[in-house]
Every structure is written in structure tokens, then in C-alpha cells.
PDB file of all heavy atoms in Angstrom:
ATOM      1  N   GLY Z 284      -8.979   9.905  -7.198  1.00 97.00           N
ATOM      2  CA  GLY Z 284      -8.082   9.558  -8.333  1.00 97.00           C
ATOM      3  C   GLY Z 284      -7.041   8.516  -8.024  1.00 97.00           C
ATOM      4  O   GLY Z 284      -6.947   7.939  -7.014  1.00 97.00           O
ATOM      5  N   ASP Z 285      -6.268   8.208  -9.105  1.00 97.00           N
ATOM      6  CA  ASP Z 285      -5.188   7.246  -9.023  1.00 97.00           C
ATOM      7  C   ASP Z 285      -3.969   7.938  -8.500  1.00 97.00           C
ATOM      8  O   ASP Z 285      -3.560   8.917  -9.119  1.00 97.00           O
ATOM      9  CB  ASP Z 285      -4.974   6.519 -10.353  1.00 97.00           C
ATOM     10  CG  ASP Z 285      -6.154   5.698 -10.779  1.00 97.00           C
ATOM     11  OD1 ASP Z 285      -6.825   5.135  -9.889  1.00 97.00           O
ATOM     12  OD2 ASP Z 285      -6.343   5.600 -12.022  1.00 97.00           O
ATOM     13  N   TYR Z 286      -3.360   7.347  -7.443  1.00 98.00           N
ATOM     14  CA  TYR Z 286      -2.156   7.979  -6.857  1.00 98.00           C
ATOM     15  C   TYR Z 286      -1.114   6.954  -6.585  1.00 98.00           C
ATOM     16  O   TYR Z 286      -1.336   5.767  -6.801  1.00 98.00           O
ATOM     17  CB  TYR Z 286      -2.560   8.593  -5.478  1.00 98.00           C
ATOM     18  CG  TYR Z 286      -3.186   9.990  -5.581  1.00 98.00           C
ATOM     19  CD1 TYR Z 286      -4.440  10.147  -6.210  1.00 98.00           C
ATOM     20  CD2 TYR Z 286      -2.525  11.096  -5.185  1.00 98.00           C
ATOM     21  CE1 TYR Z 286      -4.966  11.406  -6.283  1.00 98.00           C
ATOM     22  CE2 TYR Z 286      -3.021  12.365  -5.212  1.00 98.00           C
ATOM     23  CZ  TYR Z 286      -4.338  12.487  -5.775  1.00 98.00           C
ATOM     24  OH  TYR Z 286      -4.903  13.768  -5.900  1.00 98.00           O
ATOM     25  N   ARG Z 287       0.020   7.367  -6.156  1.00 97.00           N
ATOM     26  CA  ARG Z 287       1.122   6.462  -5.730  1.00 97.00           C
ATOM     27  C   ARG Z 287       1.713   7.102  -4.488  1.00 97.00           C
ATOM     28  O   ARG Z 287       1.731   8.217  -4.247  1.00 97.00           O
ATOM     29  CB  ARG Z 287       2.145   6.221  -6.829  1.00 97.00           C
ATOM     30  CG  ARG Z 287       3.061   7.438  -7.138  1.00 97.00           C
ATOM     31  CD  ARG Z 287       4.104   7.116  -8.072  1.00 97.00           C
ATOM     32  NE  ARG Z 287       4.620   8.274  -8.698  1.00 97.00           N
ATOM     33  CZ  ARG Z 287       4.525   8.586  -9.919  1.00 97.00           C
ATOM     34  NH1 ARG Z 287       3.959   7.753 -10.811  1.00 97.00           N
ATOM     35  NH2 ARG Z 287       4.977   9.716 -10.362  1.00 97.00           N
ATOM     36  N   LEU Z 288       2.341   6.220  -3.752  1.00 98.00           N
ATOM     37  CA  LEU Z 288       3.127   6.643  -2.532  1.00 98.00           C
ATOM     38  C   LEU Z 288       4.321   7.499  -3.056  1.00 98.00           C
ATOM     39  O   LEU Z 288       4.928   7.152  -4.052  1.00 98.00           O
ATOM     40  CB  LEU Z 288       3.572   5.471  -1.693  1.00 98.00           C
ATOM     41  CG  LEU Z 288       2.543   4.686  -1.036  1.00 98.00           C
ATOM     42  CD1 LEU Z 288       3.127   3.513  -0.363  1.00 98.00           C
ATOM     43  CD2 LEU Z 288       1.657   5.513  -0.086  1.00 98.00           C
ATOM     44  N   SER Z 289       4.680   8.541  -2.276  1.00 97.00           N
ATOM     45  CA  SER Z 289       5.839   9.337  -2.651  1.00 97.00           C
ATOM     46  C   SER Z 289       7.138   8.615  -2.380  1.00 97.00           C
ATOM     47  O   SER Z 289       8.167   8.938  -2.987  1.00 97.00           O
ATOM     48  CB  SER Z 289       5.744  10.675  -1.900  1.00 97.00           C
ATOM     49  OG  SER Z 289       4.621  11.402  -2.260  1.00 97.00           O
ATOM     50  N   ASP Z 290       7.151   7.709  -1.449  1.00 98.00           N
ATOM     51  CA  ASP Z 290       8.296   6.932  -1.006  1.00 98.00           C
ATOM     52  C   ASP Z 290       8.073   5.467  -1.335  1.00 98.00           C
ATOM     53  O   ASP Z 290       6.927   5.004  -1.457  1.00 98.00           O
ATOM     54  CB  ASP Z 290       8.655   7.085   0.453  1.00 98.00           C
ATOM     55  CG  ASP Z 290       9.040   8.563   0.721  1.00 98.00           C
ATOM     56  OD1 ASP Z 290       9.782   9.103   0.022  1.00 98.00           O
ATOM     57  OD2 ASP Z 290       8.530   9.107   1.760  1.00 98.00           O
ATOM     58  N   ARG Z 291       9.145   4.711  -1.408  1.00 98.00           N
ATOM     59  CA  ARG Z 291       9.047   3.284  -1.630  1.00 98.00           C
ATOM     60  C   ARG Z 291       8.760   2.472  -0.437  1.00 98.00           C
ATOM     61  O   ARG Z 291       9.410   2.722   0.711  1.00 98.00           O
ATOM     62  CB  ARG Z 291      10.434   2.777  -2.294  1.00 98.00           C
ATOM     63  CG  ARG Z 291      10.651   3.409  -3.567  1.00 98.00           C
ATOM     64  CD  ARG Z 291      12.011   2.930  -4.246  1.00 98.00           C
ATOM     65  NE  ARG Z 291      13.080   3.389  -3.371  1.00 98.00           N
ATOM     66  CZ  ARG Z 291      14.150   2.523  -2.994  1.00 98.00           C
ATOM     67  NH1 ARG Z 291      14.163   1.290  -3.382  1.00 98.00           N
ATOM     68  NH2 ARG Z 291      15.038   3.001  -2.179  1.00 98.00           N
ATOM     69  N   TYR Z 292       7.911   1.485  -0.541  1.00 98.00           N
ATOM     70  CA  TYR Z 292       7.586   0.526   0.501  1.00 98.00           C
ATOM     71  C   TYR Z 292       7.358  -0.833  -0.201  1.00 98.00           C
ATOM     72  O   TYR Z 292       6.849  -0.922  -1.192  1.00 98.00           O
ATOM     73  CB  TYR Z 292       6.221   0.989   1.265  1.00 98.00           C
ATOM     74  CG  TYR Z 292       6.423   2.101   2.113  1.00 98.00           C
ATOM     75  CD1 TYR Z 292       6.409   3.430   1.673  1.00 98.00           C
ATOM     76  CD2 TYR Z 292       6.633   1.903   3.502  1.00 98.00           C
ATOM     77  CE1 TYR Z 292       6.577   4.472   2.511  1.00 98.00           C
ATOM     78  CE2 TYR Z 292       6.766   2.994   4.361  1.00 98.00           C
ATOM     79  CZ  TYR Z 292       6.728   4.261   3.873  1.00 98.00           C
ATOM     80  OH  TYR Z 292       6.936   5.306   4.735  1.00 98.00           O
ATOM     81  N   PRO Z 293       7.680  -1.866   0.558  1.00 98.00           N
ATOM     82  CA  PRO Z 293       7.349  -3.254   0.026  1.00 98.00           C
ATOM     83  C   PRO Z 293       5.914  -3.594   0.066  1.00 98.00           C
ATOM     84  O   PRO Z 293       5.243  -3.320   1.031  1.00 98.00           O
ATOM     85  CB  PRO Z 293       8.171  -4.247   0.907  1.00 98.00           C
ATOM     86  CG  PRO Z 293       9.061  -3.302   1.774  1.00 98.00           C
ATOM     87  CD  PRO Z 293       8.438  -1.938   1.815  1.00 98.00           C
ATOM     88  N   LEU Z 294       5.393  -4.211  -0.916  1.00 98.00           N
ATOM     89  CA  LEU Z 294       4.005  -4.664  -1.064  1.00 98.00           C
ATOM     90  C   LEU Z 294       4.076  -6.211  -1.203  1.00 98.00           C
ATOM     91  O   LEU Z 294       4.707  -6.666  -2.110  1.00 98.00           O
ATOM     92  CB  LEU Z 294       3.322  -4.074  -2.238  1.00 98.00           C
ATOM     93  CG  LEU Z 294       1.852  -4.441  -2.516  1.00 98.00           C
ATOM     94  CD1 LEU Z 294       1.011  -4.070  -1.346  1.00 98.00           C
ATOM     95  CD2 LEU Z 294       1.343  -3.790  -3.751  1.00 98.00           C
ATOM     96  N   VAL Z 295       3.462  -6.877  -0.308  1.00 98.00           N
ATOM     97  CA  VAL Z 295       3.564  -8.381  -0.301  1.00 98.00           C
ATOM     98  C   VAL Z 295       2.183  -8.961  -0.143  1.00 98.00           C
ATOM     99  O   VAL Z 295       1.226  -8.314   0.300  1.00 98.00           O
ATOM    100  CB  VAL Z 295       4.509  -8.773   0.864  1.00 98.00           C
ATOM    101  CG1 VAL Z 295       5.895  -8.176   0.740  1.00 98.00           C
ATOM    102  CG2 VAL Z 295       3.896  -8.505   2.273  1.00 98.00           C
ATOM    103  N   LEU Z 296       2.155 -10.295  -0.454  1.00 97.00           N
ATOM    104  CA  LEU Z 296       0.987 -11.119  -0.129  1.00 97.00           C
ATOM    105  C   LEU Z 296       1.303 -11.921   1.045  1.00 97.00           C
ATOM    106  O   LEU Z 296       2.406 -12.588   1.032  1.00 97.00           O
ATOM    107  CB  LEU Z 296       0.643 -11.987  -1.328  1.00 97.00           C
ATOM    108  CG  LEU Z 296       0.070 -11.338  -2.481  1.00 97.00           C
ATOM    109  CD1 LEU Z 296      -0.278 -12.370  -3.615  1.00 97.00           C
ATOM    110  CD2 LEU Z 296      -1.155 -10.526  -2.256  1.00 97.00           C
ATOM    111  N   GLY Z 297       0.476 -11.946   2.072  1.00 93.00           N
ATOM    112  CA  GLY Z 297       0.772 -12.715   3.335  1.00 93.00           C
ATOM    113  C   GLY Z 297      -0.201 -13.863   3.449  1.00 93.00           C
ATOM    114  O   GLY Z 297      -1.331 -13.812   2.967  1.00 93.00           O
ATOM    115  N   SER Z 298       0.231 -14.859   4.161  1.00 87.00           N
ATOM    116  CA  SER Z 298      -0.551 -16.045   4.424  1.00 87.00           C
ATOM    117  C   SER Z 298      -1.406 -15.755   5.668  1.00 87.00           C
ATOM    118  O   SER Z 298      -1.165 -14.840   6.377  1.00 87.00           O
ATOM    119  CB  SER Z 298       0.283 -17.228   4.592  1.00 87.00           C
ATOM    120  OG  SER Z 298       0.972 -17.102   5.881  1.00 87.00           O
ATOM    121  N   PRO Z 299      -2.480 -16.470   5.847  1.00 90.00           N
ATOM    122  CA  PRO Z 299      -2.879 -17.696   4.969  1.00 90.00           C
ATOM    123  C   PRO Z 299      -3.949 -17.277   3.941  1.00 90.00           C
ATOM    124  O   PRO Z 299      -4.380 -18.169   3.296  1.00 90.00           O
ATOM    125  CB  PRO Z 299      -3.500 -18.505   6.115  1.00 90.00           C
ATOM    126  CG  PRO Z 299      -4.127 -17.642   7.128  1.00 90.00           C
ATOM    127  CD  PRO Z 299      -3.173 -16.430   7.106  1.00 90.00           C
ATOM    128  N   TRP Z 300      -4.393 -16.030   3.867  1.00 93.00           N
ATOM    129  CA  TRP Z 300      -5.444 -15.643   2.905  1.00 93.00           C
ATOM    130  C   TRP Z 300      -5.030 -14.898   1.659  1.00 93.00           C
ATOM    131  O   TRP Z 300      -5.855 -14.297   1.034  1.00 93.00           O
ATOM    132  CB  TRP Z 300      -6.537 -14.895   3.745  1.00 93.00           C
ATOM    133  CG  TRP Z 300      -7.072 -15.680   4.861  1.00 93.00           C
ATOM    134  CD1 TRP Z 300      -7.722 -16.864   4.854  1.00 93.00           C
ATOM    135  CD2 TRP Z 300      -6.873 -15.407   6.252  1.00 93.00           C
ATOM    136  NE1 TRP Z 300      -8.063 -17.290   6.058  1.00 93.00           N
ATOM    137  CE2 TRP Z 300      -7.484 -16.374   7.025  1.00 93.00           C
ATOM    138  CE3 TRP Z 300      -6.243 -14.350   6.959  1.00 93.00           C
ATOM    139  CZ2 TRP Z 300      -7.542 -16.396   8.432  1.00 93.00           C
ATOM    140  CZ3 TRP Z 300      -6.246 -14.365   8.308  1.00 93.00           C
ATOM    141  CH2 TRP Z 300      -6.940 -15.403   9.016  1.00 93.00           C
ATOM    142  N   TYR Z 301      -3.743 -14.835   1.421  1.00 96.00           N
ATOM    143  CA  TYR Z 301      -3.212 -14.055   0.258  1.00 96.00           C
ATOM    144  C   TYR Z 301      -3.612 -12.615   0.356  1.00 96.00           C
ATOM    145  O   TYR Z 301      -4.086 -12.041  -0.535  1.00 96.00           O
ATOM    146  CB  TYR Z 301      -3.643 -14.650  -1.059  1.00 96.00           C
ATOM    147  CG  TYR Z 301      -3.038 -15.959  -1.363  1.00 96.00           C
ATOM    148  CD1 TYR Z 301      -3.520 -17.128  -0.952  1.00 96.00           C
ATOM    149  CD2 TYR Z 301      -1.828 -15.970  -2.084  1.00 96.00           C
ATOM    150  CE1 TYR Z 301      -2.948 -18.314  -1.180  1.00 96.00           C
ATOM    151  CE2 TYR Z 301      -1.193 -17.173  -2.331  1.00 96.00           C
ATOM    152  CZ  TYR Z 301      -1.698 -18.331  -1.916  1.00 96.00           C
ATOM    153  OH  TYR Z 301      -1.064 -19.538  -2.133  1.00 96.00           O
ATOM    154  N   THR Z 302      -3.497 -12.075   1.609  1.00 95.00           N
ATOM    155  CA  THR Z 302      -3.821 -10.663   1.916  1.00 95.00           C
ATOM    156  C   THR Z 302      -2.660  -9.723   1.483  1.00 95.00           C
ATOM    157  O   THR Z 302      -1.519  -9.937   1.912  1.00 95.00           O
ATOM    158  CB  THR Z 302      -4.117 -10.533   3.362  1.00 95.00           C
ATOM    159  OG1 THR Z 302      -5.101 -11.457   3.733  1.00 95.00           O
ATOM    160  CG2 THR Z 302      -4.567  -9.184   3.659  1.00 95.00           C
ATOM    161  N   PRO Z 303      -3.031  -8.669   0.720  1.00 97.00           N
ATOM    162  CA  PRO Z 303      -1.996  -7.733   0.448  1.00 97.00           C
ATOM    163  C   PRO Z 303      -1.632  -6.856   1.682  1.00 97.00           C
ATOM    164  O   PRO Z 303      -2.507  -6.429   2.389  1.00 97.00           O
ATOM    165  CB  PRO Z 303      -2.583  -6.891  -0.658  1.00 97.00           C
ATOM    166  CG  PRO Z 303      -4.006  -6.936  -0.459  1.00 97.00           C
ATOM    167  CD  PRO Z 303      -4.254  -8.364   0.069  1.00 97.00           C
ATOM    168  N   SER Z 304      -0.342  -6.633   1.875  1.00 97.00           N
ATOM    169  CA  SER Z 304       0.064  -5.758   2.965  1.00 97.00           C
ATOM    170  C   SER Z 304       1.253  -4.868   2.472  1.00 97.00           C
ATOM    171  O   SER Z 304       2.130  -5.332   1.777  1.00 97.00           O
ATOM    172  CB  SER Z 304       0.594  -6.709   4.139  1.00 97.00           C
ATOM    173  OG  SER Z 304      -0.444  -7.409   4.708  1.00 97.00           O
ATOM    174  N   LEU Z 305       1.216  -3.609   3.005  1.00 98.00           N
ATOM    175  CA  LEU Z 305       2.325  -2.703   2.717  1.00 98.00           C
ATOM    176  C   LEU Z 305       3.115  -2.753   4.012  1.00 98.00           C
ATOM    177  O   LEU Z 305       2.647  -2.555   5.117  1.00 98.00           O
ATOM    178  CB  LEU Z 305       1.714  -1.316   2.517  1.00 98.00           C
ATOM    179  CG  LEU Z 305       2.669  -0.260   2.043  1.00 98.00           C
ATOM    180  CD1 LEU Z 305       3.104  -0.571   0.610  1.00 98.00           C
ATOM    181  CD2 LEU Z 305       1.902   1.112   2.111  1.00 98.00           C
ATOM    182  N   LEU Z 306       4.337  -3.165   3.895  1.00 98.00           N
ATOM    183  CA  LEU Z 306       5.283  -3.308   5.063  1.00 98.00           C
ATOM    184  C   LEU Z 306       5.893  -1.940   5.434  1.00 98.00           C
ATOM    185  O   LEU Z 306       6.257  -1.129   4.604  1.00 98.00           O
ATOM    186  CB  LEU Z 306       6.404  -4.261   4.755  1.00 98.00           C
ATOM    187  CG  LEU Z 306       5.948  -5.755   4.437  1.00 98.00           C
ATOM    188  CD1 LEU Z 306       7.155  -6.579   4.195  1.00 98.00           C
ATOM    189  CD2 LEU Z 306       5.037  -6.280   5.513  1.00 98.00           C
ATOM    190  N   ASP Z 307       5.975  -1.716   6.721  1.00 97.00           N
ATOM    191  CA  ASP Z 307       6.547  -0.525   7.276  1.00 97.00           C
ATOM    192  C   ASP Z 307       8.049  -0.578   7.197  1.00 97.00           C
ATOM    193  O   ASP Z 307       8.763  -0.683   8.149  1.00 97.00           O
ATOM    194  CB  ASP Z 307       6.081  -0.339   8.750  1.00 97.00           C
ATOM    195  CG  ASP Z 307       6.498   1.035   9.248  1.00 97.00           C
ATOM    196  OD1 ASP Z 307       6.902   1.869   8.460  1.00 97.00           O
ATOM    197  OD2 ASP Z 307       6.315   1.279  10.492  1.00 97.00           O
ATOM    198  N   GLU Z 308       8.507  -0.489   5.959  1.00 98.00           N
ATOM    199  CA  GLU Z 308       9.934  -0.549   5.682  1.00 98.00           C
ATOM    200  C   GLU Z 308      10.312   0.522   4.563  1.00 98.00           C
ATOM    201  O   GLU Z 308      10.478   0.217   3.455  1.00 98.00           O
ATOM    202  CB  GLU Z 308      10.351  -1.962   5.242  1.00 98.00           C
ATOM    203  CG  GLU Z 308      10.205  -2.999   6.278  1.00 98.00           C
ATOM    204  CD  GLU Z 308      10.373  -4.423   5.825  1.00 98.00           C
ATOM    205  OE1 GLU Z 308      10.784  -4.677   4.713  1.00 98.00           O
ATOM    206  OE2 GLU Z 308      10.175  -5.298   6.632  1.00 98.00           O
ATOM    207  N   PRO Z 309      10.217   1.820   4.971  1.00 98.00           N
ATOM    208  CA  PRO Z 309      10.392   2.909   3.937  1.00 98.00           C
ATOM    209  C   PRO Z 309      11.764   2.803   3.288  1.00 98.00           C
ATOM    210  O   PRO Z 309      12.731   2.313   4.021  1.00 98.00           O
ATOM    211  CB  PRO Z 309      10.282   4.125   4.778  1.00 98.00           C
ATOM    212  CG  PRO Z 309      10.358   3.774   6.184  1.00 98.00           C
ATOM    213  CD  PRO Z 309      10.002   2.336   6.346  1.00 98.00           C
ATOM    214  N   GLY Z 310      11.803   3.143   2.004  1.00 98.00           N
ATOM    215  CA  GLY Z 310      13.006   3.166   1.242  1.00 98.00           C
ATOM    216  C   GLY Z 310      13.271   1.891   0.492  1.00 98.00           C
ATOM    217  O   GLY Z 310      14.115   1.682  -0.275  1.00 98.00           O
ATOM    218  N   GLN Z 311      12.488   0.801   0.802  1.00 97.00           N
ATOM    219  CA  GLN Z 311      12.520  -0.510   0.176  1.00 97.00           C
ATOM    220  C   GLN Z 311      11.289  -0.683  -0.755  1.00 97.00           C
ATOM    221  O   GLN Z 311      10.310  -0.036  -0.555  1.00 97.00           O
ATOM    222  CB  GLN Z 311      12.646  -1.636   1.193  1.00 97.00           C
ATOM    223  CG  GLN Z 311      13.827  -1.456   2.088  1.00 97.00           C
ATOM    224  CD  GLN Z 311      13.878  -2.589   3.049  1.00 97.00           C
ATOM    225  OE1 GLN Z 311      13.621  -3.751   2.786  1.00 97.00           O
ATOM    226  NE2 GLN Z 311      14.256  -2.367   4.291  1.00 97.00           N
ATOM    227  N   GLY Z 312      11.369  -1.573  -1.749  1.00 97.00           N
ATOM    228  CA  GLY Z 312      10.247  -1.809  -2.529  1.00 97.00           C
ATOM    229  C   GLY Z 312      10.020  -0.837  -3.655  1.00 97.00           C
ATOM    230  O   GLY Z 312      10.910  -0.442  -4.313  1.00 97.00           O
ATOM    231  N   HIS Z 313       8.763  -0.411  -3.738  1.00 98.00           N
ATOM    232  CA  HIS Z 313       8.345   0.457  -4.902  1.00 98.00           C
ATOM    233  C   HIS Z 313       7.467   1.576  -4.382  1.00 98.00           C
ATOM    234  O   HIS Z 313       6.924   1.478  -3.252  1.00 98.00           O
ATOM    235  CB  HIS Z 313       7.521  -0.336  -5.930  1.00 98.00           C
ATOM    236  CG  HIS Z 313       8.306  -1.491  -6.477  1.00 98.00           C
ATOM    237  ND1 HIS Z 313       9.123  -1.263  -7.566  1.00 98.00           N
ATOM    238  CD2 HIS Z 313       8.400  -2.810  -6.153  1.00 98.00           C
ATOM    239  CE1 HIS Z 313       9.737  -2.479  -7.856  1.00 98.00           C
ATOM    240  NE2 HIS Z 313       9.257  -3.321  -7.041  1.00 98.00           N
ATOM    241  N   CYS Z 314       7.245   2.598  -5.221  1.00 97.00           N
ATOM    242  CA  CYS Z 314       6.299   3.642  -4.951  1.00 97.00           C
ATOM    243  C   CYS Z 314       4.948   3.018  -5.401  1.00 97.00           C
ATOM    244  O   CYS Z 314       4.529   3.114  -6.549  1.00 97.00           O
ATOM    245  CB  CYS Z 314       6.594   4.858  -5.731  1.00 97.00           C
ATOM    246  SG  CYS Z 314       8.126   5.703  -5.150  1.00 97.00           S
ATOM    247  N   VAL Z 315       4.295   2.359  -4.447  1.00 98.00           N
ATOM    248  CA  VAL Z 315       3.060   1.588  -4.702  1.00 98.00           C
ATOM    249  C   VAL Z 315       1.971   2.472  -5.177  1.00 98.00           C
ATOM    250  O   VAL Z 315       1.655   3.546  -4.745  1.00 98.00           O
ATOM    251  CB  VAL Z 315       2.623   0.826  -3.431  1.00 98.00           C
ATOM    252  CG1 VAL Z 315       1.323   0.155  -3.605  1.00 98.00           C
ATOM    253  CG2 VAL Z 315       3.771  -0.124  -3.003  1.00 98.00           C
ATOM    254  N   ARG Z 316       1.274   1.954  -6.237  1.00 98.00           N
ATOM    255  CA  ARG Z 316       0.181   2.639  -6.778  1.00 98.00           C
ATOM    256  C   ARG Z 316      -1.159   2.181  -6.111  1.00 98.00           C
ATOM    257  O   ARG Z 316      -1.300   1.070  -5.762  1.00 98.00           O
ATOM    258  CB  ARG Z 316      -0.013   2.351  -8.332  1.00 98.00           C
ATOM    259  CG  ARG Z 316       1.120   2.907  -9.126  1.00 98.00           C
ATOM    260  CD  ARG Z 316       0.964   2.616 -10.617  1.00 98.00           C
ATOM    261  NE  ARG Z 316       1.241   1.212 -10.907  1.00 98.00           N
ATOM    262  CZ  ARG Z 316       0.530   0.495 -11.766  1.00 98.00           C
ATOM    263  NH1 ARG Z 316      -0.477   1.042 -12.458  1.00 98.00           N
ATOM    264  NH2 ARG Z 316       0.813  -0.770 -11.990  1.00 98.00           N
ATOM    265  N   GLY Z 317      -2.088   3.075  -6.037  1.00 98.00           N
ATOM    266  CA  GLY Z 317      -3.421   2.792  -5.482  1.00 98.00           C
ATOM    267  C   GLY Z 317      -4.357   3.905  -5.780  1.00 98.00           C
ATOM    268  O   GLY Z 317      -4.213   4.632  -6.770  1.00 98.00           O
ATOM    269  N   GLU Z 318      -5.351   3.994  -4.948  1.00 98.00           N
ATOM    270  CA  GLU Z 318      -6.453   4.981  -5.169  1.00 98.00           C
ATOM    271  C   GLU Z 318      -6.636   5.862  -3.920  1.00 98.00           C
ATOM    272  O   GLU Z 318      -6.444   5.398  -2.780  1.00 98.00           O
ATOM    273  CB  GLU Z 318      -7.691   4.324  -5.475  1.00 98.00           C
ATOM    274  CG  GLU Z 318      -7.708   3.425  -6.713  1.00 98.00           C
ATOM    275  CD  GLU Z 318      -8.865   2.614  -7.011  1.00 98.00           C
ATOM    276  OE1 GLU Z 318      -9.721   2.397  -6.101  1.00 98.00           O
ATOM    277  OE2 GLU Z 318      -9.008   2.091  -8.142  1.00 98.00           O
ATOM    278  N   LEU Z 319      -6.990   7.095  -4.151  1.00 98.00           N
ATOM    279  CA  LEU Z 319      -7.160   8.045  -3.090  1.00 98.00           C
ATOM    280  C   LEU Z 319      -8.687   8.401  -2.879  1.00 98.00           C
ATOM    281  O   LEU Z 319      -9.399   8.609  -3.926  1.00 98.00           O
ATOM    282  CB  LEU Z 319      -6.371   9.353  -3.298  1.00 98.00           C
ATOM    283  CG  LEU Z 319      -6.247  10.311  -2.188  1.00 98.00           C
ATOM    284  CD1 LEU Z 319      -5.402   9.663  -1.019  1.00 98.00           C
ATOM    285  CD2 LEU Z 319      -5.612  11.605  -2.555  1.00 98.00           C
ATOM    286  N   PHE Z 320      -9.185   8.312  -1.677  1.00 98.00           N
ATOM    287  CA  PHE Z 320     -10.621   8.608  -1.388  1.00 98.00           C
ATOM    288  C   PHE Z 320     -10.614   9.624  -0.181  1.00 98.00           C
ATOM    289  O   PHE Z 320      -9.639   9.768   0.496  1.00 98.00           O
ATOM    290  CB  PHE Z 320     -11.297   7.281  -0.846  1.00 98.00           C
ATOM    291  CG  PHE Z 320     -11.455   6.317  -1.981  1.00 98.00           C
ATOM    292  CD1 PHE Z 320     -10.468   5.423  -2.209  1.00 98.00           C
ATOM    293  CD2 PHE Z 320     -12.655   6.239  -2.792  1.00 98.00           C
ATOM    294  CE1 PHE Z 320     -10.635   4.377  -3.224  1.00 98.00           C
ATOM    295  CE2 PHE Z 320     -12.796   5.337  -3.753  1.00 98.00           C
ATOM    296  CZ  PHE Z 320     -11.752   4.391  -3.990  1.00 98.00           C
ATOM    297  N   THR Z 321     -11.731  10.202  -0.060  1.00 98.00           N
ATOM    298  CA  THR Z 321     -11.938  11.058   1.168  1.00 98.00           C
ATOM    299  C   THR Z 321     -13.094  10.430   1.992  1.00 98.00           C
ATOM    300  O   THR Z 321     -14.092   9.973   1.426  1.00 98.00           O
ATOM    301  CB  THR Z 321     -12.284  12.505   0.725  1.00 98.00           C
ATOM    302  OG1 THR Z 321     -12.425  13.290   1.900  1.00 98.00           O
ATOM    303  CG2 THR Z 321     -13.490  12.628  -0.150  1.00 98.00           C
ATOM    304  N   VAL Z 322     -12.933  10.509   3.237  1.00 98.00           N
ATOM    305  CA  VAL Z 322     -13.873   9.844   4.218  1.00 98.00           C
ATOM    306  C   VAL Z 322     -14.070  10.788   5.394  1.00 98.00           C
ATOM    307  O   VAL Z 322     -13.232  11.631   5.754  1.00 98.00           O
ATOM    308  CB  VAL Z 322     -13.409   8.522   4.665  1.00 98.00           C
ATOM    309  CG1 VAL Z 322     -13.297   7.484   3.542  1.00 98.00           C
ATOM    310  CG2 VAL Z 322     -12.137   8.528   5.479  1.00 98.00           C
ATOM    311  N   ASP Z 323     -15.188  10.560   6.079  1.00 98.00           N
ATOM    312  CA  ASP Z 323     -15.368  11.337   7.394  1.00 98.00           C
ATOM    313  C   ASP Z 323     -14.851  10.530   8.519  1.00 98.00           C
ATOM    314  O   ASP Z 323     -14.266   9.390   8.324  1.00 98.00           O
ATOM    315  CB  ASP Z 323     -16.897  11.700   7.597  1.00 98.00           C
ATOM    316  CG  ASP Z 323     -17.807  10.532   7.680  1.00 98.00           C
ATOM    317  OD1 ASP Z 323     -17.252   9.405   7.976  1.00 98.00           O
ATOM    318  OD2 ASP Z 323     -18.962  10.666   7.493  1.00 98.00           O
ATOM    319  N   ALA Z 324     -14.861  11.049   9.696  1.00 97.00           N
ATOM    320  CA  ALA Z 324     -14.275  10.425  10.875  1.00 97.00           C
ATOM    321  C   ALA Z 324     -14.915   9.109  11.221  1.00 97.00           C
ATOM    322  O   ALA Z 324     -14.207   8.130  11.558  1.00 97.00           O
ATOM    323  CB  ALA Z 324     -14.338  11.444  12.073  1.00 97.00           C
ATOM    324  N   GLU Z 325     -16.233   9.005  11.081  1.00 97.00           N
ATOM    325  CA  GLU Z 325     -16.916   7.743  11.289  1.00 97.00           C
ATOM    326  C   GLU Z 325     -16.462   6.690  10.326  1.00 97.00           C
ATOM    327  O   GLU Z 325     -16.280   5.557  10.678  1.00 97.00           O
ATOM    328  CB  GLU Z 325     -18.434   8.013  11.163  1.00 97.00           C
ATOM    329  CG  GLU Z 325     -19.239   6.779  11.492  1.00 97.00           C
ATOM    330  CD  GLU Z 325     -20.769   7.067  11.426  1.00 97.00           C
ATOM    331  OE1 GLU Z 325     -21.129   8.227  11.376  1.00 97.00           O
ATOM    332  OE2 GLU Z 325     -21.473   6.044  11.442  1.00 97.00           O
TER     333      GLU Z 325
END
């Protein structure tokens, strides 16, 4: 399903490939929205 982080983190685009990154800076930014999946260890 569609989920969001419970806490705020900054979401940015980084160079040189316009790659999205969630920065390890809790309490800043937004409660970023995304998708939740389940996977095995492999």
C-alpha cells in the first residue's frame, strides 16, 4: 500500500544523475510519501 514516514526527513535530488535521496536528518523536511512492499532476505 501507500504509506508515509511517521517522522519528517528531507527528500532531495542529488547530482549528477538527479537521484532522489532521503537524508538522515530526522525532524527536518516532510513525512515523505512512498510505497510499502514485503521482500524475503535474498
Side-chain angles (χ1 to χ4, degrees):
D285 293 329
Y286 278 68
R287 72 173 161 245
L288 295 175
S289 299
D290 294 317
R291 295 179 298 131
Y292 285 82
L294 179 62
V295 301
L296 292 180
S298 68
W300 302 295
Y301 288 88
T302 304
S304 295
L305 192 66
L306 298 181
D307 189 10
E308 299 173 3
Q311 300 180 40
H313 300 275
C314 293
V315 173
R316 293 182 287 142
E318 299 173 346
L319 193 66
F320 293 86
T321 183
V322 299
D323 61 20
E325 183 178 346

